[in-house]
Amino acid sequence: MFVSRPIARGLIAGSIAFAVSLGAHAGAQTSPRGPDAITRTDIVKRLEARFDVLDANKDGMISADERKSGMEAGRARMFARVDKDGNGSISPDEFNAHRPGPGKAGMGKAGMGRPGMTNRIADAGLSKADFVNRRLAMFDRVDTNRDGTISPDERGAMRGKMRQHRGVGAPPPPPPPGG
C-alpha cells in the first residue's frame, strides 16, 4: 500500500504525540521498569480499544466520517478539560494553566489535521491492523533499547526531540544581516 510523505509525516507526528502522551496515563500500571513505564502489550490493548471506539459502525474499518467524529469528540474533551469553570469559553487564565511547562504534556500540534490523511481514509478506510501497526512502529522508535517497554527516560528523550522539532524552548533566530 502506498502512503504519501505528507500522510506518513502526519502519522509519525501523531504517533509520537500518542506515545509520549501515554506517560501521563501510565502511572497506575505496574511494569518491571517501574510505575511510569509502559509496555508494548499495554499499547496494543489501548490501541485496539481506541480503534473499537472510533469504528462506530463496527465494520472493521475507520472511515473518513468516523475519523472526523473521533477528532471532533477529542477536541470537545480537550476543550472541556481546559474550560475549568464550564462556561463555554476559555479565559486567558484557563489557557495559561493548561499550557505545557517543563515535564508536562500539552495541547501541541500533533494530531491536529494530519495532511492527506482524510483522503487516504476516504479512499480505502483504515483497518485495525493498520491502525495498530502504524502506531506500534512509533512505539518501537521510542523504545530505543528494544526491551518492549518505554521507560520515563526514553519518553523524556522523545519529548525533547519533539520539542526541538517544533522549536519549543529553542533560542530565537538571529536578527537578519544589517538589521
Side-chain angles (χ1 to χ4, degrees), residues 149-166:
T149 301
I150 295 177
S151 69
D153 289 340
E154 289 169 320
R155 195 170 39 255
M158 181 55 69
R159 186 176 289 123
K161 287 179 186 178
M162 288 174 55
R163 292 175 64 86
Q164 182 180 10
H165 176 74
R166 291 191 324 234

Side-chain angles (χ1 to χ4, degrees), residues 67-122:
R67 178 180 173 271
K68 183 178 177 183
S69 293
M71 288 176 65
E72 289 170 359
R75 281 193 292 268
R77 283 190 304 274
M78 175 68 74
F79 188 89
R81 276 196 305 267
V82 178
D83 182 21
K84 295 293 185 189
D85 61 12
N87 70 351
S89 65
I90 297 174
S91 70
D93 289 340
E94 289 170 325
F95 179 81
N96 289 329
H98 194 73
R99 289 180 68 188
K104 287 174 57 180
M107 294 192 307
K109 292 191 249 180
M112 300 299 280
R114 298 173 189 142
M117 189 64 175
T118 301
N119 291 339
R120 183 200 171 282
I121 292 175

Side-chain angles (χ1 to χ4, degrees), residues 2-3 38 53 61 72 75 82 91 102 104 112 134 140 148 157 178:
F2 174 76
V3 178
I38 187 159
V53 168
M61 301 292 282
E72 289 170 359
R75 281 193 292 268
V82 178
S91 70
K104 287 174 57 180
M112 300 299 280
R134 290 175 187 276
D140 293 340

Side-chain angles (χ1 to χ4, degrees), residues 1-19:
M1 171 188 306
F2 174 76
V3 178
S4 72
R5 286 185 185 188
I7 293 170
R9 279 192 293 257
L11 286 170
I12 290 168
S15 297
I16 290 170
F18 177 77

